């Protein structure tokens, strides 16, 4: 069976543009349903792919990725949309992407508003993310039809290196947490009621800090952009964006 590698997408439909940032073990494919929905409703949608992702080697994420590289990509995404003539830019992120979407709302003047889905903000432990990444890695290596000894060697390397890698992300997350109270732009929070990847109370804390936020709860798990909540989430995001336009009209 031929496996088609995931890649970034840009759905070009007018001057209003939305950046969509994916999760740690995800790809832009997880943002495609939301991107197409926004495109149908008058928005351009751009989903870059975080460095190290989209390959069949999970170690690439550790070797090529990290907070510095991924933040650089966020800024490059903004500049790319500006070069394409986009005059209104918004940003949303899922899980890992939520960290950098929030940072963009805090620090980038070009960003009008943004939001988070299944966010690890205010999470003091990434143990569930760690476990999920190891499970994801094992599944990828099995798909590669590697022998068990090779798989174990690679998983051992990941196990030895991932704590330092996640510590860097935790440091970035903590820095973003500290600035949430200063956000004065419209801010969307989407959180699944049965999300077991992140601490769901983090969403409540973000909502308390960001005075311009609105929080939406869904009877669903972590990956809100593709699970049973995706239609409701997409409509809520669209309503959020349109309400901003109405207020600015």
């Amino acid at each position: 069976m031929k496996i088609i590698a995931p890649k970034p997408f840009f759905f070009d439909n007018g001057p209003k543009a939305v950046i969509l940032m994916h999760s740690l073990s995800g790809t832009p494919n997880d943002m495609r349903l939301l991107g197409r929905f926004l495109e149908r409703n008058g928005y351009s949608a751009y989903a870059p792919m975080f460095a190290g992702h989209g390959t069949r080697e999970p170690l690439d994420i550790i070797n090529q990725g990290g907070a510095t590289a991924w933040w650089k990509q966020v800024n490059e995404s903004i500049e790319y949309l500006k070069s394409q003539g986009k005059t209104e830019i918004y940003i949303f992120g899922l899980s890992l992407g939520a960290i950098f979407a929030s940072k963009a709302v805090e620090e980038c003047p070009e960003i009008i508003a943004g939001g988070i889905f299944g966010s690890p903000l205010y999470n003091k432990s990434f143990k569930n993310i760690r476990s999920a990444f190891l499970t994801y890695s094992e599944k990828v290596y099995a798909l590669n039809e590697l022998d068990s000894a090779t798989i174990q060697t690679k998983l051992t390397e990941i196990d030895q290196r991932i704590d330092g890698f996640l510590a860097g992300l935790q440091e970035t997350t903590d820095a973003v947490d500290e600035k949430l109270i200063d956000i004065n732009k419209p801010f969307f929070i989407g959180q699944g009621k049965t999300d077991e990847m992140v601490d769901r109370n983090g969403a409540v804390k973000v909502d308390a800090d960001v005075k311009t936020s609105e929080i939406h709860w869904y009877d669903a798990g972590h990956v809100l952009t593709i699970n049973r909540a995706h239609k409701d989430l997409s409509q809520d995001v669209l309503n959020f964006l349109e309400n901003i336009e109405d207020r600015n009209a």
Side-chain angles (χ1 to χ4, degrees):
M1 180 180 68
K2 182 180 179 181
I3 298 177
I4 300 175
K7 57 185 179 180
F9 65 75
F10 179 42
F11 304 148
D12 193 358
N13 186 27
K16 300 175 294 184
V18 182
I19 301 171
L20 301 171
M21 312 301 297
H22 64 79
S23 65
L24 180 61
S25 57
T27 71
N29 287 350
D30 296 332
M31 315 305 285
R32 187 171 291 271
L33 286 173
L34 177 55
R36 284 298 188 195
F37 178 82
L38 292 172
E39 180 195 24
R40 290 194 299 271
N41 285 277
Y43 291 83
S44 297
Y46 179 51
M49 185 153 60
F50 281 132
H53 290 73
T55 76
R56 300 182 69 180
E57 175 50 82
L59 277 165
D60 287 344
I61 295 174
I62 295 176
N63 290 330
Q64 301 172 24
T68 301
W70 294 334
W71 177 237
K72 182 174 181 285
Q73 288 184 274
V74 172
N75 285 280
E76 289 171 346
S77 297
I78 294 171
E79 291 304 313
Y80 173 71
L81 289 176
K82 289 166 62 178
S83 75
Q84 298 299 306
K86 306 312 173 189
T87 56
E88 298 177 30
I89 304 176
Y90 307 87
I91 187 168
F92 296 86
L94 167 68
S95 198
L96 168 72
I99 301 170
F100 296 97
S102 300
K103 185 174 173 66
V105 173
E106 292 172 348
E107 299 185 16
C108 300
E110 301 93 337
I111 298 297
I112 294 174
I116 55 178
F117 319 135
S119 160
L121 296 177
Y122 279 122
N123 281 215
K124 296 309 177 186
S125 170
F126 281 7
K127 64 179 182 180
N128 292 344
I129 295 173
R130 183 190 200 280
S131 176
F133 189 77
L134 283 166
T135 299
Y136 158 78
S137 299
E138 187 172 8
K139 290 179 178 178
V140 171
Y141 291 140
L143 286 173
N144 290 347
E145 299 181 349
L146 300 178
D147 62 80
S148 58
T150 301
I151 290 176
Q152 192 55 52
T153 297
K154 288 179 175 291
L155 290 176
T156 297
E157 181 178 355
I158 291 173
D159 186 59
Q160 292 172 344
R161 297 178 59 192
I162 194 170
D163 289 329
F165 177 75
L166 292 178
L169 286 180
Q170 183 75 69
E171 184 177 333
T172 299
T173 303
D174 292 344
V176 170
D177 291 344
E178 291 178 2
K179 294 183 179 180
L180 289 170
I181 197 168
D182 297 324
I183 290 177
N184 57 12
K185 303 172 183 177
F187 197 75
F188 182 100
I189 303 167
Q191 180 59 54
K193 295 179 181 178
T194 58
D195 189 341
E196 297 182 353
M197 184 68 69
V198 299
D199 180 359
R200 297 184 293 275
N201 289 325
V204 178
K205 293 178 181 178
V206 174
D207 187 44
D209 267 1
V210 183
K211 304 310 179 187
T212 51
S213 67
E214 59 179 66
I215 190 167
H216 298 260
W217 292 92
Y218 303 94
D219 290 318
H222 184 59
V223 190
L224 294 173
T225 54
I226 60 174
N227 65 21
R228 61 189 291 181
H230 80 268
K231 290 184 179 179
D232 289 337
L233 176 75
S234 295
Q235 187 61 56
D236 288 341
V237 168
L238 178 62
N239 292 343
F240 170 80
L241 294 171
E242 290 181 336
N243 286 338
I244 294 171
E245 291 186 49
D246 289 343
R247 288 197 296 269
N248 293 338

